[in-house]
Amino acid sequence: MQINLTEHITIDREQRSVYKDGKEVHLTGLEYGLLDFLSVHANRVCTRQELLDNVWGARFQYDAGTIDVHLNALRRKLGWGSKQPIETIRGVGLIFRINTSSVHYTIDLQRFLSDWVCSHQVELNAAGLVPQLQLTPFVNEITIAPEALKKLLDSVLEALLPTVQPGVIKLTSHLNMRHFALAIDINGTVNELRIPIRTE
C-alpha cells in the first residue's frame, strides 16, 4: 500500500520504502522510522521523548541532539525546508503538517481483500462460509483510505453473519465510468460498496 504524504513524496509501509517523484529515496532505518512515526501522527505535536521511545527504542544509546541530526538528513534527502512539512516546535517536539484532504491512498485490491479475508477467517469458518474473490481484470489498485474500506467491509460482515447459513461468500468487483463497485455476496444476499472514480 502506497500513501502520498505530499505531492512529491510517497511512502510504502509494507516495503518500508519512500519515493520522491516515483524514484526511491534511500533512507537509513532511523530516518525512515522518524518519517513513518511523524506521518502516522500527522498534525499532532510529537514530543522528543515520544520519538526517542518509539523510533530509537531502549536498545539505542542517544543524546539530545540525535533527533536533529537524523531530521536534517531526512529533510535533505527529501528536499524539504527547515519548517515544512516537518516543523520543529521549540522546547516541545516535532509536527508533520499535512493537508489530510490531499492525502491519496493507493491500495493493492487483491492483497487488501486477501488480508481482510484472512483477518476474519475464524468468523468465516465458524459460520461455514468459504470465501471467493472474483475481481475485475486489470483493476489491481484503487484509491481509497484503507481504514475506511476496512470499516465498511467489517460493518457489512458484522451485520450479515448473525443470520447467515453455511455456504459461499463472494467478493466481486465491477467498474464503469463513474464508480468502482465492490460487492459482498453471501448466499445470494448482496451488499454493494460504490467507490467514486477519482478524476485529477
Side-chain angles (χ1 to χ4, degrees):
M1 178 185 70
Q2 293 187 359
I3 301 174
N4 294 342
L5 299 180
T6 68
E7 183 180 354
H8 301 284
I9 303 298
T10 302
I11 188 170
D12 184 330
R13 292 195 168 98
E14 291 180 354
Q15 302 297 323
R16 291 181 61 84
S17 301
V18 175
Y19 302 88
K20 180 178 181 181
D21 295 324
K23 184 177 180 181
E24 185 171 4
V25 179
H26 297 285
L27 303 179
T28 67
L30 290 174
E31 290 164 359
Y32 175 85
L34 183 60
L35 175 64
D36 184 47
F37 190 84
L38 288 170
S39 63
V40 166
H41 299 88
N43 297 320
R44 175 175 78 77
V45 176
C46 298
T47 67
R48 288 179 175 271
Q49 190 59 54
E50 187 178 9
L51 291 167
L52 290 172
D53 290 344
N54 288 278
V55 178
W56 275 258
R59 67 187 184 279
F60 288 98
Q61 296 295 320
Y62 43 73
D63 57 39
T66 191
I67 292 177
D68 295 319
V69 170
H70 288 85
L71 176 60
N72 290 337
L74 177 63
R75 283 172 169 159
R76 185 176 64 253
K77 290 180 179 181
L78 298 181
W80 288 347
S82 61
K83 290 189 176 180
Q84 293 293 337
I86 299 175
E87 181 181 350
T88 300
I89 308 299
R90 191 174 298 278
V92 182
L94 304 175
I95 183 171
F96 185 14
R97 298 192 187 278
I98 191 168
N99 179 1
T100 54
S101 65
S102 67
V103 177
H104 302 164
Y105 300 85
T106 301
I107 64 172
D108 179 320
L109 189 60
Q110 179 80 33
R111 177 181 289 181
F112 178 90
L113 292 176
S114 295
D115 289 347
W116 181 80
V117 167
C118 286
S119 70
H120 291 285
Q121 197 65 59
V122 172
E123 299 124 289
L124 295 175
N125 287 344
L129 293 172
V130 177
Q132 294 180 357
L133 297 182
Q134 299 175 349
L135 303 181
T136 301
F138 313 116
V139 179
N140 300 316
E141 296 180 339
I142 60 171
T143 300
I144 188 174
E147 296 82 7
L149 181 55
K150 181 181 184 304
K151 188 174 181 180
L152 286 170
L153 292 171
D154 287 349
S155 65
V156 170
L157 188 63
E158 184 180 347
L160 294 177
L161 275 182
T163 59
V164 75
Q165 298 296 315
V168 176
I169 175 172
K170 297 179 183 178
L171 286 87
T172 60
S173 66
H174 307 281
L175 180 68
N176 64 29
M177 294 298 291
R178 296 181 182 174
H179 64 261
F180 172 81
L182 181 64
I184 302 178
D185 178 339
I186 302 181
N187 296 334
T189 301
V190 180
N191 281 259
E192 189 176 78
L193 309 174
R194 292 190 176 186
I195 303 165
I197 298 296
R198 170 183 287 279
T199 56
E200 302 294 349

